[in-house]
Amino acid sequence: MKIIVPMAGMGKRMRPHTLTVPKPLIPIAGKPIVQRLVEDIAKVVGEPVSEVAFIVGRFGTEVEQNLIKIAESVGAKGTIHYQDEPLGTAHAILCAQSALDGPVVVAFADTLFKADFTLDTSADGTIWVQRVEDPRPFGVVKLNEQGQITELIEKPQEFVSDLAIIGIYYFRDGEYLKRELQYLLDNDIRDKGEYQLTNALENMKNQGAVFIPGRVTEWLDCGNKDATVYTNQRYLEYLREAGEDTVSKSAKLTNSVIIPPVYIGENVVLENSVIGPHVSVGDGSVVKHSVVANSIIQKAAAVTNANVTNSMIGSNASFTGTPADLSVGDYNALKL
């Protein structure tokens, strides 16, 4: 089994946090989004993962080395593939064409999920979906009486289905997928100016491929600051339910209170502060004389004399003040 992870964009909706790192490397409960995604997929595929292929922009050597380590953490080889032009989802996946053979999972790196099933590898493909209240912003699928996918509809303005496609797919034959993606590019078949995976799926389905839905118990978006803070909240809840110890033994607490669930990284310093619930504090950060709830503080940040909630503070950022809702990017210093 191989995992293909397109993550080429820096993520404009997550600025200022994505000015220095790609969105999928923003931490959720102490681990990058993309690492959480890869680990969760590895749990449900039911067989060893041999390769994780990351499709990226030109993020630099340090980012690429971190991605290789993420692949190695699930026992797989990590490979890096470049998408230098944003030409759509089909084009992005095809950038990793050397990895498109045998069974593959394609997972776009701005979403997380929780699932309690093992992947059914007998079907030609699985499209993972979640029921939503308003399907209009999403691609959706329709099912027949046998539970097979009969239609894929992009952002329907009139109701046809409430099963939204969450951006994770399984294909039993990666070579077949590669041929259909290449067909789109060779014949310049675009949708809204881009080469789209859904067009390849439609072609495969019309040729007799059988796709079934994969249901998840929860779908978590990481598309903007508020959604990412909420995803961090939910992951901390999962980790507490699993009984994981999320407070590093190297953290130094002085006259401070922790309200679980929280993640406290290595060598964090907390002085005269209340932390939690639903707070992640990255390695080497210092929080003094502050109250922090429902927030993400990344690595080596400094927070002083602050009342922080529903917020993200980037790596190496410095913040002093009393706001209730903020978003401070990496290496910024802010005083209020």
Side-chain angles (χ1 to χ4, degrees), residues 24-179:
L25 291 182
I26 290 174
I28 295 293
K31 291 183 181 180
I33 294 168
V34 67
Q35 183 171 355
R36 294 278 181 202
L37 176 65
V38 168
E39 289 177 350
D40 287 345
I41 292 172
K43 291 176 185 176
V44 303
V45 295
E47 59 183 84
V49 176
S50 61
E51 179 180 353
V52 183
F54 299 97
I55 297 106
V56 301
R58 302 289 173 167
F59 296 154
T61 302
E62 182 179 356
V63 168
E64 293 174 12
Q65 289 175 344
N66 288 337
L67 293 174
I68 298 299
K69 290 178 182 177
I70 288 171
E72 292 172 347
S73 74
V74 297
K77 176 182 71 172
T79 57
I80 304 297
H81 310 265
Y82 299 106
Q83 184 188 29
D84 290 323
E85 294 183 85
L87 297 179
T89 53
H91 175 265
I93 298 165
L94 197 57
C95 289
Q97 59 181 289
S98 62
L100 289 173
D101 61 82
V104 298
V105 170
V106 174
F108 291 90
D110 57 357
T111 189
L112 293 174
F113 69 97
K114 298 304 292 182
D116 56 6
F117 67 89
T118 299
L119 184 66
D120 179 2
T121 57
S122 64
D124 294 310
T126 300
I127 301 173
W128 296 9
V129 300
Q130 169 74 325
R131 201 173 299 278
V132 295
E133 290 186 6
D134 182 5
R136 289 175 298 179
F138 307 104
V140 300
V141 300
K142 290 183 68 175
L143 309 180
N144 61 17
E145 293 181 355
Q146 291 74 43
Q148 299 169 346
I149 294 171
T150 58
E151 290 186 61
L152 299 96
I153 305 99
E154 188 66 28
K155 298 180 180 179
Q157 295 309 296
E158 295 183 4
F159 182 85
V160 293
S161 170
D162 59 0
L163 293 175
I165 300 169
I166 72 170
I168 305 175
Y169 310 80
Y170 163 75
F171 301 92
R172 187 169 59 184
D173 184 354
E175 285 279 359
Y176 184 14
L177 173 64
K178 178 166 64 175
R179 290 195 300 271

Side-chain angles (χ1 to χ4, degrees), residues 3-323:
I3 302 175
I4 314 295
V5 186
M7 48 176 290
M10 289 295 281
K12 294 181 180 179
R13 290 186 298 161
M14 283 290 287
R15 291 179 178 174
H17 300 278
T18 53
L19 292 174
T20 57
V21 296
K23 177 172 62 176
L25 291 182
I26 290 174
I28 295 293
K31 291 183 181 180
I33 294 168
V34 67
Q35 183 171 355
R36 294 278 181 202
L37 176 65
V38 168
E39 289 177 350
D40 287 345
I41 292 172
K43 291 176 185 176
V44 303
V45 295
E47 59 183 84
V49 176
S50 61
E51 179 180 353
V52 183
F54 299 97
I55 297 106
V56 301
R58 302 289 173 167
F59 296 154
T61 302
E62 182 179 356
V63 168
E64 293 174 12
Q65 289 175 344
N66 288 337
L67 293 174
I68 298 299
K69 290 178 182 177
I70 288 171
E72 292 172 347
S73 74
V74 297
K77 176 182 71 172
T79 57
I80 304 297
H81 310 265
Y82 299 106
Q83 184 188 29
D84 290 323
E85 294 183 85
L87 297 179
T89 53
H91 175 265
I93 298 165
L94 197 57
C95 289
Q97 59 181 289
S98 62
L100 289 173
D101 61 82
V104 298
V105 170
V106 174
F108 291 90
D110 57 357
T111 189
L112 293 174
F113 69 97
K114 298 304 292 182
D116 56 6
F117 67 89
T118 299
L119 184 66
D120 179 2
T121 57
S122 64
D124 294 310
T126 300
I127 301 173
W128 296 9
V129 300
Q130 169 74 325
R131 201 173 299 278
V132 295
E133 290 186 6
D134 182 5
R136 289 175 298 179
F138 307 104
V140 300
V141 300
K142 290 183 68 175
L143 309 180
N144 61 17
E145 293 181 355
Q146 291 74 43
Q148 299 169 346
I149 294 171
T150 58
E151 290 186 61
L152 299 96
I153 305 99
E154 188 66 28
K155 298 180 180 179
Q157 295 309 296
E158 295 183 4
F159 182 85
V160 293
S161 170
D162 59 0
L163 293 175
I165 300 169
I166 72 170
I168 305 175
Y169 310 80
Y170 163 75
F171 301 92
R172 187 169 59 184
D173 184 354
E175 285 279 359
Y176 184 14
L177 173 64
K178 178 166 64 175
R179 290 195 300 271
E180 292 303 321
L181 297 175
Q182 189 64 55
Y183 178 83
L184 298 181
L185 271 66
D186 290 345
N187 293 276
D188 198 28
I189 299 172
R190 306 187 187 215
D191 187 350
K192 297 178 181 177
E194 296 184 338
Y195 303 104
Q196 300 294 354
L197 173 60
T198 49
N199 293 120
L201 296 177
E202 277 291 341
N203 288 343
M204 295 168 75
K205 182 173 61 64
N206 293 337
Q207 295 166 20
V210 174
F211 293 105
I212 60 175
R215 308 291 183 99
V216 298
T217 54
E218 187 164 9
W219 173 25
L220 298 167
D221 180 34
C222 300
N224 57 44
K225 186 267 290 182
D226 287 342
T228 303
V229 168
Y230 176 73
T231 295
N232 180 70
Q233 175 185 359
R234 295 298 298 139
Y235 251 87
L236 289 171
E237 293 283 356
Y238 301 151
L239 297 177
R240 177 167 62 175
E241 291 168 7
E244 292 195 27
D245 185 1
T246 54
V247 178
S248 171
K249 291 180 173 55
S250 64
K252 294 178 62 177
L253 279 67
T254 303
N255 194 33
S256 295
V257 176
I258 289 177
I259 304 173
V262 298
Y263 170 83
I264 306 295
E266 298 288 341
N267 301 308
V268 167
V269 175
L270 305 178
E271 293 184 6
N272 301 309
S273 295
V274 178
I275 306 297
H278 304 124
V279 173
S280 292
V281 184
D283 296 352
S285 288
V286 178
V287 181
K288 297 182 178 181
H289 308 287
S290 298
V291 177
V292 184
N294 194 41
S295 296
I296 300 171
I297 299 173
Q298 298 185 45
K299 294 181 179 180
V303 178
T304 307
N305 299 328
N307 182 1
V308 177
T309 186
N310 192 43
S311 301
M312 289 180 63
I313 297 176
S315 295
N316 299 285
S318 174
F319 175 71
T320 302
T322 56

